[in-house]
Amino acid sequence: LNFLIAHYLSRQQQPAGALRDTAAQLRRLMEQTPGMLPQRLDWQGRRHVSSYDELARGHPHVGADELLRVMQARVEGNSAELVTAGGTALGRTRRKPRDTMGDALTTRLRRRHGHPAQAASRAQALPLAVVGMYRRLVRCHGHKYPTFCALFDRTGRRMITGSDDYLVKIWCTRTGYLVNTFKGHQDVVTDIALNTENTLLASASADGTVRVWNLKTGEPRAVLVAHAQGRSKGIIGVKFSPAARAELRFIATACDDGLCRLYRWDRERLAAAAEPLVVDGRPQARDAVSAFAFNHTGSRFAVATTGGSISMYSLIADSAGTPQLIARITAHEESITTLVFSDDGAMLLSGSTDGTAKVWTCAGGRWDVVTFDIKEPPPLVEVPAAADEPQPGEGGPAAPVEAPAADAASPAPATKRVETNQVAWACDGTRVLISNNVGTVAAFDPRTGRECWRRRGAHGAAEVYVLLAHPRDARVAVSGGYDGRALAWDVARGAVLREFRVGEQLFDGSFSEDGRQFALTGESGAATLFGLGAPWAYADAAQMPEQMFDSDYTATIMDENRFVADQQTQVPAYLVPHSLLMDFDGHVYRTQRGPRFGMAIEIGVDAARFRREDAARRAELDAEIGSELARDGGRAAAQGPRLLEAVRPARPRRRAPRAQPVQRTETIEELLPPLPIPIVDDSSDEEYNG
């Protein structure tokens, strides 16, 4: 608006020079007063105040009468005319000045990056100083107990959290407002997952159930029970298969009883079958399932156990989609904690408590492995920091990782075992990221095993369970540790682009599909949202340190199908009207968007885009099925690759082999010698008549 006023005055001809002199004074005032002119970004991401001449050159289409036209349209209420030639709708004003720089930046990111599954090429990539300009947006605190699950929906409009308070909550990522609460679980929420259509949410719980919800309305579509009779075993994980064929659409669960279960679900009816296909991936009965994963087409299903084995199943071995074991690998010496396929499905990454991570590749029926060992970190290495200065109130570029105090800088005590906490793929598959329980973050080449960099002490000596690779830019990753800090990394150099101090132990995190935002959850139950947007949009939510509806923690009753209803009103829990937002003590906030705010947010992915994605997955899956049937004249469809019980590592270990463990037995009683029980002669004792 200041620009339009000065532009109008400078173009006037009568009276001679008087208005132009006024325009010149206004221009000097705008250039000397901070905030009167918008800022711009240079190619390195540094902020600069724009001059009047720069704005005039950037908006040559704005005529001398633009101000008069806008004011006339404002008076007449003509909203169509309020959209100027430059695309600015002055009629849509807000109480705070809009920070268009963040919007322009994210628009450029979307335009350059294109499809979420495609990594940006080197020519398209923005400078890292720009990509790494994440800032803290808002803290969403809606759970009373620690939150171990965080996820964005595919549109990026919702953030989903699951907590130890038995609740799943939906948040608006544009405002930080609580949108909905899903009730029904009777124990802690252990995992959450979304289908590729972005219509269903599945939540797993230690109460032995997986509840499948309609993402938009919160209506429960199914309750999947591992043990309908007897004592329930907790569910430790849940995932949707990404398969494009109906016979291969499964909801996979892993249970404390050591078994995986695959439930078929219907895309059109948004319903799941009650009877599952049971998959036992345990070589020995005493093992338990610790991780599982689908490949990108849903044709393969991998199961890892606490005994260190990986079982690979084919879901395309027959037309019914019945899982068939095609390989079993003795992968690690100890429990496997994470299992992730690469984006193209060609490689499988596993991490274990034995302090190693391994990449598995199958070619011609032979499994090759590349091992990364991070049990013995090298001396502390200084991490180069970004050159730009931190902005007030933001995380800012981090200083080099220096040696902490004497007790923390020294190597981990000999009594503390170094274990792999988390592993992740860079989105282009050229790097493997690994974190461990002594604060180390490292990157390796998955094909050669070469160590690209290792940052010992990046998180002090704390556990690092959050390791997120950017979904579109392979140069960016985020780690979060029990030290309460989050670090944005330059994956190529191992440099810290930005540091955020969250102030609590961090348990889980997630990137949005477009990479514009990421969220971290921790011990307080809050989810902290970071992103490239404008913080002023979250001003209302920032004034609400806690958010809940009055029905979030009210008592419920359960019917014979395990669906829940409000105990007092007997109304299904998802139909109970939302109250105004309040804090945990029941105090209603003055600032409100209405009890139905956010419920109308669209859930589906763009139809044309989803059809393209689905067609690409189906074509690739059909090619795999054709290859499976053609191998060995069709006999391989039933037999699969050669069954392997163990493979030879592709590179030697970097430490001496362990001593042979003591042979374990099935029962404790076998280890105990028989106890002598003395028998005392009591024949002379008198009878007691009292």
Side-chain angles (χ1 to χ4, degrees):
L1 184 59
N2 292 330
F3 168 73
L4 289 179
I5 294 173
H7 195 63
Y8 170 76
L9 295 176
S10 63
R11 297 294 183 91
Q12 300 305 306
Q13 301 298 326
Q14 299 295 334
L19 293 180
R20 289 197 296 274
D21 291 343
T22 303
Q25 295 178 11
L26 178 59
R27 288 170 51 181
R28 287 194 298 271
L29 177 64
M30 288 191 299
E31 293 176 349
Q32 295 172 3
T33 305
M36 292 192 69
L37 289 176
Q39 293 181 327
R40 64 175 177 85
L41 293 175
D42 63 17
W43 67 276
Q44 291 183 326
R46 297 191 180 96
R47 297 171 182 258
H48 301 276
V49 177
S50 300
S51 67
Y52 174 85
D53 292 334
E54 289 173 338
L55 286 174
R57 288 195 299 269
H59 299 80
H61 52 279
V62 177
D65 62 341
E66 187 74 12
L67 179 64
L68 293 179
R69 188 172 69 86
V70 170
M71 296 305 296
Q72 183 177 359
R74 180 67 174 172
V75 171
E76 295 175 355
N78 189 339
S79 59
E81 281 295 318
L82 283 175
V83 181
T84 68
T88 303
L90 296 181
R92 296 184 231 137
T93 57
R94 298 197 148 189
R95 14 173 241 273
K96 293 192 177 181
R98 177 163 183 160
D99 181 3
T100 59
M101 189 163 53
D103 292 342
L105 176 59
T106 52
T107 300
R108 292 181 61 197
L109 285 171
R110 281 180 166 176
R111 184 172 63 250
R112 287 174 178 250
H113 288 254
H115 190 276
Q118 300 173 351
S121 67
R122 187 176 298 274
Q124 292 177 316
L126 290 168
L128 272 175
V130 176
V131 179
M133 286 180 59
Y134 293 104
R135 65 184 87 176
R136 186 196 305 262
L137 298 177
V138 69
R139 184 173 183 265
C140 302
H141 191 184
H143 297 283
K144 295 184 177 181
Y145 290 90
T147 300
F148 286 88
C149 306
L151 188 65
F152 285 87
D153 79 333
R154 294 200 61 194
T155 67
R157 301 284 304 275
R158 295 175 180 82
M159 176 179 67
I160 308 162
T161 56
S163 171
D164 283 4
D165 63 2
Y166 309 172
L167 298 179
V168 175
K169 294 201 171 188
I170 314 297
W171 305 82
C172 173
T173 59
R174 304 288 178 85
T175 61
Y177 269 72
L178 176 63
V179 172
N180 207 350
T181 299
F182 295 171
K183 296 175 59 176
H185 286 300
Q186 307 301 307
D187 209 328
V188 300
V189 177
T190 56
D191 197 13
I192 53 179
L194 279 168
N195 62 349
T196 55
E197 292 81 2
N198 202 57
T199 54
L200 293 178
L201 171 71
S203 58
S205 172
D207 64 5
T209 66
V210 170
R211 294 183 177 269
V212 183
W213 317 83
N214 182 310
L215 180 60
K216 184 171 184 177
T217 65
E219 178 187 3
R221 302 298 302 173
V223 180
L224 310 178
V225 183
H227 294 275
Q229 305 295 332
R231 183 179 178 182
S232 298
K233 296 287 187 178
I235 306 295
I236 63 171
V238 61
K239 286 182 173 61
F240 281 89
S241 166
R245 297 175 68 99
E247 63 272 17
L248 300 181
R249 293 194 189 108
F250 292 107
I251 301 174
T253 69
C255 184
D256 279 340
D257 63 3
L259 302 176
C260 286
R261 291 171 174 82
L262 303 181
Y263 300 84
R264 299 186 189 275
W265 69 278
D266 187 276
R267 175 188 289 180
E268 304 301 328
R269 297 189 299 112
L270 298 182
E275 294 300 324
L277 301 175
V278 179
V279 177
D280 189 352
R282 304 170 297 170
Q284 302 179 34
R286 63 174 175 264
D287 289 341
V289 175
S290 55
F292 60 98
F294 288 100
N295 69 342
H296 68 303
T297 61
S299 63
R300 295 288 185 267
F301 180 61
V303 180
T305 69
T306 54
S309 68
I310 298 176
S311 299
M312 186 72 71
Y313 292 85
S314 171
L315 300 177
I316 58 175
D318 60 29
S319 58
T322 305
Q324 292 196 13
L325 180 68
I326 59 175
R328 179 163 287 159
I329 309 166
T330 303
H332 291 270
E333 297 176 357
E334 297 179 13
S335 176
I336 297 174
T337 56
T338 47
L339 198 63
V340 191
F341 277 98
S342 59
D343 283 349
D344 60 2
M347 295 179 284
L348 179 65
L349 173 62
S350 61
S352 169
T353 57
D354 64 7
T356 65
K358 298 183 180 182
V359 171
W360 305 89
T361 308
C362 182
R366 172 183 174 81
W367 289 85
D368 296 321
V369 60
V370 176
T371 303
F372 316 114
D373 193 334
I374 59 172
K375 289 187 296 298
E376 298 174 355
L380 196 65
V381 179
E382 184 177 82
V383 181
D388 53 333
E389 295 297 326
Q391 298 299 321
E394 300 178 10
V401 175
E402 301 174 353
D407 57 341
S410 59
T415 57
K416 184 175 182 179
R417 299 175 62 248
V418 179
E419 302 176 353
T420 302
N421 281 161
Q422 194 61 263
V423 297
W425 287 99
C427 63
D428 61 355
T430 60
R431 291 291 182 270
V432 166
L433 304 173
I434 307 173
S435 65
N436 66 15
N437 63 337
V438 291
T440 299
V441 180
F444 294 84
D445 187 319
R447 302 188 182 277
T448 65
R450 179 180 64 88
E451 181 179 301
C452 302
W453 51 267
R454 183 190 306 231
R455 298 297 176 252
R456 173 78 169 99
H459 288 274
E463 308 254 2
V464 183
Y465 279 105
V466 180
L467 192 60
L468 311 173
H470 194 285
R472 295 189 183 182
D473 197 324
R475 302 169 301 165
V476 180
V478 173
S479 64
Y482 278 13
D483 61 346
R485 295 185 303 131
L487 304 177
W489 293 91
D490 175 354
V491 174
R493 298 186 300 125
V496 176
L497 298 173
R498 245 171 155 67
E499 175 183 345
F500 300 95
R501 298 187 179 274
V502 182
E504 61 179 289
Q505 292 183 351
L506 299 176
F507 296 151
D508 195 19
S510 177
F511 262 107
S512 63
E513 191 172 272
D514 58 11
R516 295 175 59 186
Q517 296 179 329
F518 67 91
L520 302 172
T521 62
E523 59 181 338
S524 70
T528 306
L529 187 65
F530 302 86
L532 300 172
W536 65 262
Y538 304 87
D540 291 345
Q543 302 301 316
M544 296 185 283
E546 301 160 353
Q547 296 186 53
M548 60 170 280
F549 301 115
D550 63 0
S551 59
D552 283 357
Y553 296 97
T554 56
T556 58
I557 55 176
M558 188 179 300
D559 63 16
E560 65 275 8
N561 296 318
R562 296 180 183 258
F563 293 105
V564 299
D566 184 74
Q567 186 180 60
Q568 183 176 2
T569 63
Q570 307 290 303
V571 174
Y574 79 99
L575 293 178
V576 175
H578 290 166
S579 69
L580 295 176
L581 288 174
M582 58 184 64
D583 63 17
F584 291 159
D585 293 326
H587 301 138
V588 177
Y589 294 108
R590 296 178 58 188
T591 303
Q592 297 285 335
R593 294 287 185 99
R596 300 291 297 174
F597 174 75
M599 295 296 291
I601 298 175
E602 291 298 324
I603 61 171
V605 184
D606 177 72
R609 170 188 158 192
F610 181 76
R611 283 195 297 270
R612 291 194 301 268
E613 295 175 354
D614 206 41
R617 284 194 299 268
R618 179 180 288 272
E620 195 166 355
L621 181 60
D622 290 344
E624 290 185 51
I625 294 174
S627 176
E628 189 92 357
L629 295 175
R631 189 184 304 124
D632 297 331
R635 289 190 299 273
Q639 298 175 357
R642 179 166 52 92
L643 183 67
L644 302 177
E645 287 297 334
V647 295
R648 185 181 302 278
R651 56 195 289 265
R653 295 175 180 172
R654 299 196 299 168
R655 63 178 178 84
R658 286 183 165 196
Q660 291 296 324
V662 178
Q663 182 66 33
R664 290 181 288 181
T665 57
E666 291 295 327
T667 61
I668 297 177
E669 285 75 15
E670 296 175 3
L671 297 176
L672 300 176
L675 298 176
I677 302 177
I679 301 177
V680 181
D681 183 8
D682 59 354
S683 59
S684 60
D685 291 352
E686 297 181 359
E687 294 293 333
Y688 176 68
N689 299 321

